[in-house]
């Protein structure tokens, strides 16, 4: 077994280490979600935590880690008599992102259950994690059906495996720890709320600290055992402090003043439900115990808010999590004065090194009175001074709206999502087939139908059904998949009028919100001037696409063909990486093509490449004014796609609804 990296040897990351230690002191806090960029010791710190946890007493021979003092009466290995057990180290169980449902909840032998009436159950990861840590690296990439199972187990403290009337139930209470890179997409709100605390981590910008990180890592990689031995005393000290804090925890007093501060803070930040209040109370109590105190102070409440509220406050999907610390201090001071609940000022450098770093990001504002750079003539021949055909500063997107559902026709087999029809492990039953490998979803009626004609030949004499492996049938289900939504956005001078570009950005932002809700991957290709560029390669981070969109400048000619060809190249590469994920191309343009020889003919040939590959496409027609040329509609015809105007894109558009019905009737015909 490899030697783990010592927890106390992690450089910096005070908030991360504090959040993990608070959960070690009080598992009732509810786990930790660690958000941050690559290479910031997220996984290293989590894996090192298990070595600091106290041993767990379990019933001898129980595969489900029942406590000897209070064994689970419904344990599949039970019933157990209360009595002495055996100690073992606390487990940290890792849930791979690509795990199957059976690997998570356990496998039940359906064939033996039906034919012999014998329950043969192989425990899964939820059983192994009972009374320990369940760690999910890249938790935001976890499939929806596994998320549903995690939510059920976390809510009920138990796991249920049910197959065609045969069920097994076992206790499953675990500390849920997840790490994620926000660039790869966000979590579902239901799962996000299940994490007690959240921490934002980033690499230090201090050269001395970065040097120390490299020095320690190289020493560990060279001689892991010797490196761990150097930190053994520090590890023992922290382990002893955790044990002492656990003993002190029941004696910690959470006064009415602190409770009022907690309630006022949660109300001030408009968090939903009461879980935030409870988690804050448990976190503040654990902070006091960790500090060796029996009284919760205002500084504990402040630190608890910084850890428990950022991911729970109400925010738009593309807003970064975080708290306004000035507002937090004002709320705490106001209720401290009203209730006289404490004499100490809130300490931003209290236990664990204070709150979270300020959130950085592009403002997206364009200064009033910007003078566009002078450039080449606009597409409609107006002078640069009048039109601003040169590069212009970015403009803000208009208010987003709810869009029509755009989907890929046919039946796919991609990753689970909420956009297009797909064959999935979950959804409505549409048929049956012979299982390929292990049977996971039994189609009972089809199985009985397959076995019935052979009962006499098999010598059946009693009432039981004689089954063979060849009789088993797997359920075929239909659900929905996620897609790759590739935006191809015209940023040329013909789109540069500020009000018009603001509406265009608002429409694309609305489609991004829709992609966020449907768990799609997104990409962004823009074209203007003389070339096209991939502003954002395909990613699960819809937030990143929104940031790129907000900072998108406009101006110059309209190289439509270059934009389409670059998008075609992106799809070709992505098809090799993820062949099961079907693409949906959304071209946002007025349909004009200028610059270079025969720009319109080149654009038509590029568009026909998509039609030849059978790529589903939508053209959002941005042409405005009393006289319209209909060029976007012609482009949609070349693509083999569907044209929609900005107005028709809205979900409440009557024209859009009529078009949907007409399209459905044509397909049905």
């Amino acid at each position: 077994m490899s030697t783990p990296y010592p927890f106390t040897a992690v450089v910096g990351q005070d908030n991360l280490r504090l959040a993990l230690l608070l959960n070690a002191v009080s598992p009732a806090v509810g786990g930790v979600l660690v958000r941050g960029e690559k290479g910031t010791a997220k996984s290293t710190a989590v894996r090192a935590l298990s070595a600091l946890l106290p041993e767990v007493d379990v019933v001898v021979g129980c595969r489900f880690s029942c406590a000897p003092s209070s064994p689970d009466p419904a344990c599949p290995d039970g019933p157990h008599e209360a009595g002495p057990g055996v100690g073992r180290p606390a487990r940290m169980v890792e849930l791979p992102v690509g795990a199957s449902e059976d690997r998570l909840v356990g496998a039940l032998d359906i064939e033996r259950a039906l034919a012999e009436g014998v329950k043969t159950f192989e425990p899964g990861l939820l059983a192994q994690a009972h009374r320990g840590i369940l760690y999910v690296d890249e938790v935001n990439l976890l499939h929806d059906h596994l998320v549903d199972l995690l939510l059920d187990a976390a809510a009920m403290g138990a796991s249920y495996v049910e197959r065609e009337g045969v069920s097994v139930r076992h206790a499953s209470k675990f500390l849920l720890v997840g790490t994620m890179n926000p660039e790869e997409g966000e979590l579902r709100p239901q799962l996000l709320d299940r994490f007690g605390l959240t921490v934002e981590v980033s690499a230090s910008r201090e050269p001395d600290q970065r040097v120390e990180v490299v020095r320690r890592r190289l020493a560990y990689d060279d001689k892991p055992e010797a490196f761990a031995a150097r930190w053994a005393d520090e590890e023992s000290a922290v382990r002893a402090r955790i044990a002492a804090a656990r003993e002190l925890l029941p004696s910690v007093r959470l006064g009415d003043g602190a409770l009022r501060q907690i309630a006022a803070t949660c109300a001030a930040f408009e968090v939903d439900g009461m879980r935030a209040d409870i988690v804050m109370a448990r976190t503040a109590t654990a902070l006091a115990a960790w500090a060796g105190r029996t009284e919760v102070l205002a500084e504990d409440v402040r630190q608890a808010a910084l850890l428990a509220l950022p991911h729970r406050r109400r925010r738009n999907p593309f807003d970064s999590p975080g708290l306004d610390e000035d507002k937090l201090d004002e709320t705490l001071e106001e209720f401290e004065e009203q209730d006289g609940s404490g004499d100490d000022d809130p300490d931003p450098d209290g236990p664990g090194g204070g709150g979270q770093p300020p959130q950085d990001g592009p403002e997206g504002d364009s200064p009033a009175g910007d003078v566009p750079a002078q450039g080449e003539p606009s597409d409609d021949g107006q002078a640069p001074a009048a039109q601003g055909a040169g590069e212009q500063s970015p403009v803000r997107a208009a208010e987003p709206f709810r869009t029509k559902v755009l989907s890929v026709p046919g039946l796919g087999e991609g990753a689970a999502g909420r956009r297009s029809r797909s064959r999935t492990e979950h959804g409505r039953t549409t048929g049956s087939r012979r299982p390929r490998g292990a049977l996971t979803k039994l189609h009972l009626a089809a199985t009985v139908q397959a076995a019935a004609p052979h009962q006499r030949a098999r010598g059946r004499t009693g009432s039981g059904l004689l089954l063979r492996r060849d009789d088993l049938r797997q359920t075929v289900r239909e659900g929905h998949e996620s897609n790759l939504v590739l935006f191809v956005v015209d940023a040329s001078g013909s789109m540069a009028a500020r009000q018009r570009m603001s509406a265009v950005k608002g429409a694309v932002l609305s489609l991004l919100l829709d992609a966020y809700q449907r768990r799609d991957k997104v990409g962004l290709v823009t074209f203007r001037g003389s070339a096209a560029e991939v502003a954002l390669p395909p990613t699960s981070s819809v937030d990143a696409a929104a940031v790129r969109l907000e900072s998108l400048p406009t101006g110059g000619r309209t190289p439509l063909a270059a934009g389409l060809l670059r998008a075609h190249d992106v799809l070709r590469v992505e098809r090799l990486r993820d062949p099961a994920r079907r693409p949906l191309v959304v071209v946002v343009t007025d349909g004009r093509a200028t610059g270079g020889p025969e720009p319109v003919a080149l654009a038509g040939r590029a568009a026909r490449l998509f039609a030849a590959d059978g790529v589903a496409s939508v053209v959002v027609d941005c042409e405005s004014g009393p006289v319209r040329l209909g060029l976007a509609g012609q482009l949609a015809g070349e693509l083999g796609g569907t044209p929609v105007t900005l107005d028709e894109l809205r979900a409440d558009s009557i024209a859009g609804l009529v078009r949907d019905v007409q399209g459905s009737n044509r397909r049905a015909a």
Side-chain angles (χ1 to χ4, degrees):
M1 181 178 179
S2 61
T3 303
Y5 192 91
F7 185 86
T8 51
V10 174
V11 179
Q13 307 297 8
D14 294 334
N15 283 340
L16 168 58
R17 292 190 294 166
L18 176 64
L20 293 171
L21 290 170
L22 291 177
N23 276 274
V25 171
S26 175
V29 166
V32 186
L33 174 64
V34 188
R35 299 166 47 96
E37 58 198 26
K38 302 177 290 292
T40 50
K42 300 189 300 292
S43 300
T44 299
V46 173
R47 292 188 175 101
L49 176 67
S50 60
L52 300 177
L53 297 180
E55 282 195 343
V56 177
D57 288 331
V58 298
V59 173
V60 177
C62 178
R63 297 174 297 166
F64 301 88
S65 301
C66 283
S69 57
S70 56
D72 181 8
C75 176
D77 284 354
H80 305 298
E81 296 291 336
V86 60
R88 64 159 175 79
R91 289 175 181 161
M92 192 197 72
V93 178
E94 293 197 40
L95 170 59
V97 169
S100 66
E101 181 178 329
D102 284 349
R103 184 73 185 98
L104 179 62
V105 300
L108 190 64
D109 192 329
I110 299 297
E111 185 175 1
R112 291 193 65 191
L114 289 177
E116 305 172 27
V118 176
K119 291 184 183 180
T120 305
F121 182 70
E122 184 65 29
L125 297 178
L126 289 179
Q128 295 177 31
H130 180 46
R131 303 175 66 201
I133 301 173
L134 182 62
Y135 171 49
V136 190
D137 193 13
E138 304 294 349
V139 63
N140 50 325
L141 303 182
L142 201 62
H143 291 302
D144 277 353
H145 67 284
L146 297 182
V147 171
D148 293 338
L149 295 170
L150 271 183
L151 289 172
D152 289 343
M156 297 184 293
S159 175
Y160 292 83
V161 183
E162 298 191 5
R163 299 283 170 82
E164 307 299 340
V166 181
S167 65
V168 173
R169 174 245 178 237
H170 63 82
S172 182
K173 297 179 181 179
F174 48 83
L175 182 64
L176 182 61
V177 180
T179 56
M180 60 175 282
N181 183 349
E183 293 179 358
E184 292 298 326
E186 291 291 344
L187 280 178
R188 283 172 52 183
Q190 298 92 333
L191 181 57
L192 187 64
D193 191 48
R194 280 292 167 187
F195 288 97
L197 310 179
T198 186
V199 178
E200 294 277 340
V201 297
S202 59
S204 172
R205 299 299 182 256
E206 293 293 331
D208 291 343
Q209 195 171 76
R210 296 175 74 97
V211 167
E212 186 60 24
V213 170
V214 175
R215 182 181 290 122
R216 292 186 187 183
R217 188 70 211 189
L218 292 177
Y220 170 77
D221 291 341
D222 186 35
K223 295 181 179 179
E225 294 83 2
F227 183 82
R230 285 169 46 195
W231 294 89
D233 291 343
E234 287 82 354
E235 293 281 285
S236 297
V238 172
R239 193 177 296 111
R241 187 175 175 185
I242 291 173
R246 281 193 172 191
E247 284 190 26
L248 183 62
L249 187 65
S251 304
V252 175
R253 177 180 175 273
L254 182 65
D256 288 344
L259 275 174
R260 284 185 176 276
Q261 285 184 316
I262 289 170
T265 301
C266 292
F269 286 98
E270 299 182 340
V271 297
D272 294 326
M274 295 299 298
R275 183 172 286 120
D277 304 62
I278 296 170
V279 171
M280 268 192 69
R282 289 171 174 165
T283 305
T285 304
L287 278 162
W290 178 248
R293 289 185 268 101
T294 57
E295 185 79 17
V296 173
L297 304 180
E299 65 189 49
D300 300 323
V301 176
R302 185 184 194 279
Q303 185 66 50
L306 291 170
L307 293 172
L309 295 189
H311 61 303
R312 290 190 168 90
R313 68 174 180 86
R314 287 189 181 180
R315 59 189 180 98
N316 293 324
F318 300 142
D319 291 344
S320 297
L323 291 184
D324 182 340
E325 295 195 34
D326 291 336
K327 180 179 179 180
L328 173 60
D329 290 336
E330 289 173 6
T331 303
L332 294 176
E333 288 172 5
E334 176 186 352
F335 278 82
E336 187 176 34
E337 290 171 2
Q338 289 182 6
D339 300 308
S341 58
D343 299 324
D344 297 319
D345 291 331
D347 179 10
D349 297 319
Q356 299 192 22
Q359 302 296 318
D360 297 324
E363 295 291 337
D365 292 322
S366 56
D370 280 345
V371 179
Q374 299 300 310
E376 55 190 334
S378 66
D379 289 343
D380 57 6
Q382 289 182 306
Q387 171 93 3
E391 182 172 314
Q392 300 184 21
S393 58
V395 298
R396 275 194 176 279
E399 194 68 24
F401 51 84
R402 190 166 64 89
T403 67
K404 287 171 47 181
V405 179
L406 305 177
S407 60
V408 178
L411 195 63
E413 294 184 346
R418 300 186 181 93
R419 183 172 296 278
S420 305
R421 294 172 54 220
S422 173
R423 297 183 185 91
T424 63
E425 288 294 320
H426 300 268
R428 63 185 182 89
T429 300
T430 59
S432 64
R433 60 171 173 79
R434 293 181 183 272
R436 302 165 188 163
L439 177 70
T440 55
K441 298 287 184 181
L442 179 74
H443 194 297
L444 184 58
T447 298
V448 172
Q449 186 176 8
H454 307 291
Q455 296 304 296
R456 180 174 297 178
R458 293 173 183 171
R460 172 184 165 186
T461 57
S463 58
L465 189 68
L466 296 180
L467 289 176
R468 299 288 184 270
R469 173 69 183 176
D470 290 343
D471 300 330
L472 299 178
R473 295 294 182 270
Q474 176 87 22
T475 299
V476 175
R477 299 177 185 270
E478 182 179 310
H480 288 85
E481 66 177 358
S482 63
N483 297 108
L484 166 61
V485 182
L486 182 62
F487 294 93
V488 186
V489 180
D490 184 349
S492 65
S494 66
M495 306 281 288
R498 284 183 172 271
Q499 185 175 1
R500 185 179 182 188
M501 196 61 199
S502 177
V504 169
K505 284 189 175 183
V508 178
L509 184 62
S510 302
L511 291 167
L512 284 172
L513 281 165
D514 183 65
Y516 168 82
Q517 294 164 352
R518 300 184 188 281
R519 302 183 69 79
D520 293 315
K521 289 181 71 173
V522 296
L524 179 62
V525 173
T526 64
F527 57 94
R528 63 186 179 89
S530 59
E533 66 172 342
V534 181
L536 182 72
T539 174
S540 297
S541 176
V542 179
D543 289 13
V547 171
R548 300 289 199 284
L549 176 70
E550 195 70 23
S551 60
L552 177 66
T554 57
R557 295 186 181 276
T558 311
L560 178 57
L564 294 174
L565 290 173
R566 180 58 62 92
H568 191 266
D569 286 343
V570 170
L571 293 185
R572 177 180 55 80
V573 173
E574 194 64 20
R575 195 175 293 117
L576 297 175
R577 293 175 178 167
D578 192 357
R581 191 183 295 269
R582 296 188 295 164
L584 173 65
V585 175
V586 179
V587 184
V588 184
T589 182
D590 57 7
R592 296 189 183 193
T594 62
E598 300 184 344
V600 177
L602 282 174
R605 286 199 290 271
R608 287 191 288 275
L609 293 175
F610 291 86
D613 291 343
V615 176
S617 60
V618 173
V619 178
V620 180
D621 185 357
C622 302
E623 192 174 26
S624 59
V627 179
R628 304 195 180 192
L629 302 178
L631 299 176
Q634 296 176 24
L635 175 63
E638 299 279 8
L639 286 166
T642 304
V644 295
T645 65
L646 288 175
D647 288 337
E648 291 171 343
L649 193 60
R650 294 178 178 272
D652 54 358
S653 167
I654 295 177
L657 293 174
V658 171
R659 174 167 296 193
D660 281 349
V661 172
Q662 290 175 342
S664 299
N665 289 340
R666 283 197 298 269
R667 286 191 294 271

